[in-house]
Amino acid sequence: MQAHDPIHEGISLQTRAGQVTLCPSRNAHSHMASRSRKASSLTISSPILQCLQYRTPPLALLPLPRRIQTAAEGGGTGRYLPPRKIIHARPQKRAPFPIRNPRPFAVNDDPARLNEMYTTLLGRDMGLTDEVKWQAVTHKSFDHGHQPFNEKLAIYGKRVCWLHASLHLLNGPPIEDKRVYEPPNFVSSLDGTPYRKPEPFLHRDYKSLVSIKDRNIRAILDPGKLATIARLVRLDNVMRWKPKDSDNLHESGQALVATQALYAIVGALALQRGGDIAGGVVRERLLSSIDWVLEKTKDMES
Amino acid sequence: MKRMRCAGLLRDQLLPIRHPSARMFPPHHIRRTPHFTATTTTTTTTNPRPLSTSTRNRNSATTTAPAPVETSNPNPPATTSPEPPQPSSSPPPPQTAPTTLPPCRSPTTSAKLAALHARLSLHPKFPVQTLARALIHPSADPNPLFNNRSLTTLGSALINYYATEWLLCTYPRLPAEVLRAALSAYVGAKALASMGREWGVESAFEPRADVDAGLLQFKRLPPGPEVEASGYKWWQEKGERWTNGVPEEEATASFVTSTFAGVYLHEGVGPVKQFFRQHVLSRKLDIDKLFNFVQPTRELSSLCSREGFEPPIARHISETGRRSIAPVFVVGVYSGLEKIGEGHGGSMNEARIRAAVNALKGWYLYSPAPQVDLPSKTDDDPHAPFRPAVIDVGEVIV
């Protein structure tokens, strides 16, 4: 006896007496789903679109076919392959025709452009695998999260960058505070005897500890600077995301998504190649000035 | 001193009791062989004038020498300096220039500080002056050369880095929200504050000149309902939240974080990793309690669809007391022939949902059987062999 329903549409319970289906849950789910779908299609598809749908053959309105690669097809690299049992996969739950967004936002699909971006950013081939290269530039919003996305890599990469920015300040020249601090008037509360003014304790291990401040770390990991680096290495052309408004990428947060992808690349490097290689990349490419990327772009233009 | 006298008289009675200065962990610098040689360079200036503490303290500030404190050699820390200032016994000097340091800024004369140093098994290269500085919150002293603000910033960067990499390598498939919750449970302010309480750090009621240097000094939040402060206070920096003071929890957390930074500065990368393992990762956290599934059955279905498994099917396994007041049903979720989760409940629906939750937790809480290398392994030794970690594709979005 085989039950065909997936678990969210209903439940099939096998008992000795036979197959028992829990009717209420199935009905509730299916009703809710169908109602919402009908309502949305009524409100969203404009009369012009409906006209088009009637007059033109439906195939012409379909978007370009998605190249979701499966292991069964075999072939090239660079796509995420689920770990096992892919042969028995059923197709993804998708409507044959996207009603809400008939023209999906076009993203890069070319591994050559992706590799070019990585070479520009990192300087050489760092030995990242192709799956991770795609994952690090894929935002969670792309393809409704069906493709591997970079959220956790960005969380980790940001902390790697934050640590190396702190160490960069620690080992660099000290940044003195311009503010002058009045030493507090230490007076004994027993008899009012004044105490001597204490002197700061200095130690050679402290190096430039005074310059480690949140403000200074934010200054060298400035979001505007990172977004500029991402734009100049053309990261925003190869990253995969879904903007809120396809006509206004700036308002949709393109810079933020690109910065997150930059952090995710650092995180992926640390996880795959180790902390010192990631630290070297952070020091050379993100914490230093952006002269290197300006030179690269000059070369690319000329 | 009281401690020594007791130890001399009642040694055998005191032995079985866990002494407050007993080691909580084996010292994290155990691999380093003789470290006592570095500590013998205490202040050796024999000063003819008994009260000229200015030159003595300047000397002790420039040399790297802390007071050597060990539990096996429990010198009272007051005797480590040649002339301890005794403001109460000696009459106030007639000259106008004061010569004694305030007790809140003289770490070498604090017994509490030396005891804390010994309790944490810090290396003698870690001076008590750094520990004293870690105990001064910016709200007690805004001068960045005296307070622990920069130490806290460095320490929080360190412990966040180590905690994130450990969680990502140990539980690669955790959803991002659960990852954030676990991070906050390991290195959040509450966890760090409880760690500081376990270390035995006590707080001064108010940061005044007469408090001991071994007490945590900060400006307390005024009691009563929290009032939004107007503007930055004199000890705050731009970007901070406007407050009239800090709660004790925040101040204690800043001390613990600064201690990590001190271990990094004075002892290096390897010892700070071991210090982190011993004090943070040794705490137990039930990560499976952090999940909160809204639609577990739908999520499991999406998961199986994404990963290419057969669609999940719930099957009734057993039951008891169907017509009684307390029935129990056991339902398993199967993907093909493989059972991926099982749950029990008072109704079939409840059991089915629990089975789906268990199946999802089994997926998300996967941990690689051979422990992979943490990325920080190559931080101090770039040529160490490194096994790359598993990089997860991300949680299921329903």
Side-chain angles (χ1 to χ4, degrees):
Chain A
M1 186 182 303
Q2 278 218 342
H4 309 285
D5 297 340
I7 196 164
H8 68 281
E9 290 170 357
I11 181 169
S12 308
L13 298 173
Q14 288 183 345
T15 57
R16 281 184 196 158
Q19 186 168 357
V20 180
T21 310
L22 286 187
C23 297
S25 73
R26 152 179 280 189
N27 289 341
H29 278 287
S30 58
H31 279 313
M32 274 174 60
S34 62
R35 204 182 304 134
S36 66
R37 204 161 280 165
K38 270 177 195 165
S40 65
S41 69
L42 278 181
T43 51
I44 283 188
S45 59
S46 61
I48 304 173
L49 192 61
Q50 286 177 3
C51 236
L52 276 175
Q53 282 180 3
Y54 283 126
R55 300 222 170 142
T56 51
L59 273 179
L61 280 178
L62 282 177
L64 288 177
R66 284 172 191 271
R67 281 195 245 153
I68 304 295
Q69 195 171 1
T70 59
E73 293 172 23
T77 55
R79 288 306 195 128
Y80 166 59
L81 300 179
R84 56 187 180 135
K85 292 189 183 175
I86 188 66
I87 299 161
H88 305 295
R90 66 176 181 177
Q92 287 175 330
K93 299 173 296 176
R94 278 189 177 152
F97 185 82
I99 295 170
R100 298 176 189 228
N101 186 13
R103 284 180 304 161
F105 181 67
V107 295
N108 173 43
D109 216 5
D110 185 9
R113 287 178 68 190
L114 182 76
N115 282 328
E116 186 194 340
M117 186 277 294
Y118 272 101
T119 317
T120 316
L121 176 64
L122 305 178
R124 58 191 169 89
D125 187 19
M126 283 289 181
L128 290 176
T129 58
D130 288 339
E131 291 89 356
V132 169
K133 277 184 186 171
W134 279 111
Q135 178 174 355
V137 296
T138 305
H139 191 248
K140 194 180 181 181
S141 61
F142 176 70
D143 199 18
H144 199 70
H146 280 101
Q147 304 297 318
F149 51 85
N150 62 5
E151 193 183 10
K152 283 191 289 180
L153 289 178
I155 293 175
Y156 178 52
K158 185 165 187 179
R159 285 163 192 240
V160 175
C161 292
W162 199 265
L163 174 72
H164 285 287
S166 306
L167 300 185
H168 181 73
L169 286 174
L170 181 70
N171 297 320
I175 304 171
E176 295 291 346
D177 205 345
K178 288 172 195 154
R179 201 167 138 192
V180 178
Y181 292 91
E182 284 293 319
N185 192 18
F186 285 121
V187 174
S188 167
S189 51
L190 292 178
D191 49 0
T193 321
Y195 285 116
R196 192 164 57 84
K197 283 173 187 165
E199 290 167 16
F201 176 69
L202 302 174
H203 198 285
R204 65 162 184 275
D205 286 346
Y206 280 179
K207 297 179 206 166
S208 303
L209 188 63
V210 281
S211 52
I212 299 186
K213 285 181 185 173
D214 276 2
R215 198 175 44 199
N216 294 344
I217 297 177
R218 287 212 179 86
I220 58 174
L221 280 180
D222 183 31
K225 176 183 158 189
L226 295 186
T228 310
I229 292 176
R231 197 182 66 242
L232 290 177
V233 301
R234 297 175 185 174
L235 175 57
D236 44 4
N237 291 342
V238 297
M239 71 185 181
R240 307 196 292 176
W241 64 305
K242 180 183 165 190
K244 183 186 176 196
D245 183 2
S246 305
D247 300 327
N248 192 350
L249 297 183
H250 178 68
E251 290 289 318
S252 304
Q254 189 183 27
L256 201 66
V257 177
T259 311
Q260 191 181 347
L262 207 56
Y263 280 136
I265 290 171
V266 173
L269 265 179
L271 283 177
Q272 280 217 323
R273 299 304 317 277
D276 67 320
I277 290 185
V281 165
V282 171
R283 275 191 299 275
E284 288 171 17
R285 300 295 183 176
L286 303 185
L287 300 185
S288 57
S289 67
I290 58 171
D291 297 340
W292 62 273
V293 73
L294 293 176
E295 286 173 12
K296 291 249 178 193
T297 45
K298 271 181 202 162
D299 294 345
M300 284 156 69
E301 283 166 5
S302 61
Chain B
M1 291 200 223
K2 189 181 173 189
R3 200 180 66 198
M4 270 193 68
R5 231 177 287 134
C6 286
L9 290 177
L10 307 165
R11 180 179 303 244
D12 36 6
Q13 283 93 332
L14 280 183
L15 263 182
I17 302 175
R18 183 177 171 81
H19 202 268
S21 68
R23 290 178 192 279
M24 298 167 69
F25 296 104
H28 55 278
H29 47 76
I30 195 73
R31 275 173 296 176
R32 303 192 177 191
T33 44
H35 49 259
F36 293 101
T37 54
T39 70
T40 52
T41 56
T42 39
T43 53
T44 52
T45 336
T46 51
N47 214 321
R49 288 178 301 168
L51 279 177
S52 65
T53 44
S54 61
T55 52
R56 181 167 56 84
N57 275 289
R58 206 175 297 133
N59 281 345
S60 69
T62 47
T63 55
T64 68
V69 184
E70 272 297 315
T71 42
S72 56
N73 180 19
N75 283 329
T79 61
T80 51
S81 55
E83 309 104 13
Q86 295 166 343
S88 56
S89 60
S90 62
Q95 67 262 28
T96 52
T99 48
T100 40
L101 274 175
C104 67
R105 295 289 182 275
S106 59
T108 46
T109 57
S110 165
K112 282 176 184 296
L113 209 52
L116 181 64
H117 191 285
R119 219 180 301 141
L120 293 179
S121 307
L122 297 173
H123 195 273
K125 278 201 297 189
F126 191 120
V128 280
Q129 282 89 347
T130 305
L131 202 59
R133 182 172 168 183
L135 281 166
I136 300 176
H137 191 263
S139 59
D141 191 347
N143 192 340
L145 291 173
F146 286 101
N147 66 28
N148 66 2
R149 175 171 276 144
S150 43
L151 284 172
T152 308
T153 311
L154 176 61
S156 79
L158 282 166
I159 60 177
N160 276 314
Y161 173 69
Y162 291 132
T164 316
E165 70 167 8
W166 184 81
L167 277 171
L168 273 185
C169 291
T170 312
Y171 301 103
R173 283 184 192 154
L174 281 187
E177 278 304 305
V178 181
L179 177 70
R180 288 202 188 91
L183 275 175
S184 144
Y186 268 117
V187 293
K190 260 187 188 162
L192 293 179
S194 75
M195 203 185 301
R197 279 193 296 274
E198 288 161 16
W199 288 357
V201 179
E202 293 165 322
S203 322
F205 182 74
E206 208 177 346
R208 300 297 289 268
D210 284 325
V211 301
D212 193 281
L215 295 179
L216 184 63
Q217 301 171 43
F218 63 102
K219 184 179 182 339
R220 285 179 191 265
L221 199 62
E226 193 167 355
V227 185
E228 177 80 14
S230 55
Y232 295 110
K233 294 297 169 192
W234 44 277
W235 42 270
Q236 282 188 308
E237 281 199 339
K238 266 194 176 178
E240 291 185 8
R241 200 166 56 92
W242 295 352
T243 50
N244 291 318
V246 288
E248 188 177 10
E249 181 182 292
E250 187 183 328
T252 318
S254 83
F255 160 67
V256 174
T257 317
S258 310
T259 311
F260 279 93
V263 173
Y264 174 79
L265 287 176
H266 295 293
E267 303 182 26
V269 183
V272 77
K273 280 195 280 189
Q274 192 166 350
F275 198 71
F276 181 78
R277 266 201 311 277
Q278 288 177 342
H279 286 93
V280 178
L281 296 185
S282 61
R283 300 167 75 85
K284 185 176 183 302
L285 173 69
D286 287 334
I287 295 187
D288 62 325
K289 299 270 174 28
L290 301 179
F291 286 90
N292 183 20
F293 297 109
V294 180
Q295 289 178 314
T297 47
R298 282 192 68 193
E299 192 169 343
L300 181 61
S301 191
S302 299
L303 174 72
C304 290
S305 158
R306 187 188 78 178
E307 295 297 324
F309 302 154
E310 298 230 350
I313 292 168
R315 292 200 179 96
H316 188 187
I317 292 177
S318 66
E319 67 172 52
T320 176
R322 176 184 281 260
R323 314 198 62 171
S324 72
I325 195 173
V328 173
F329 297 92
V330 179
V331 168
V333 178
Y334 293 79
S335 169
L337 291 177
E338 193 178 347
K339 182 161 82 173
I340 55 178
E342 184 181 316
H344 66 277
S347 70
M348 282 208 193
N349 222 9
E350 187 187 348
R352 175 181 68 109
I353 289 170
R354 281 199 182 161
V357 166
N358 284 338
L360 282 174
K361 282 185 181 172
W363 171 264
Y364 283 135
L365 288 174
Y366 156 77
S367 189
Q371 182 69 28
V372 294
D373 286 333
L374 299 176
S376 66
K377 182 183 177 186
T378 59
D379 274 350
D380 43 351
D381 179 16
H383 303 293
F386 179 70
R387 278 172 301 173
V390 181
I391 295 185
D392 173 50
V393 299
E395 73 261 24
V396 176
I397 299 171
V398 180

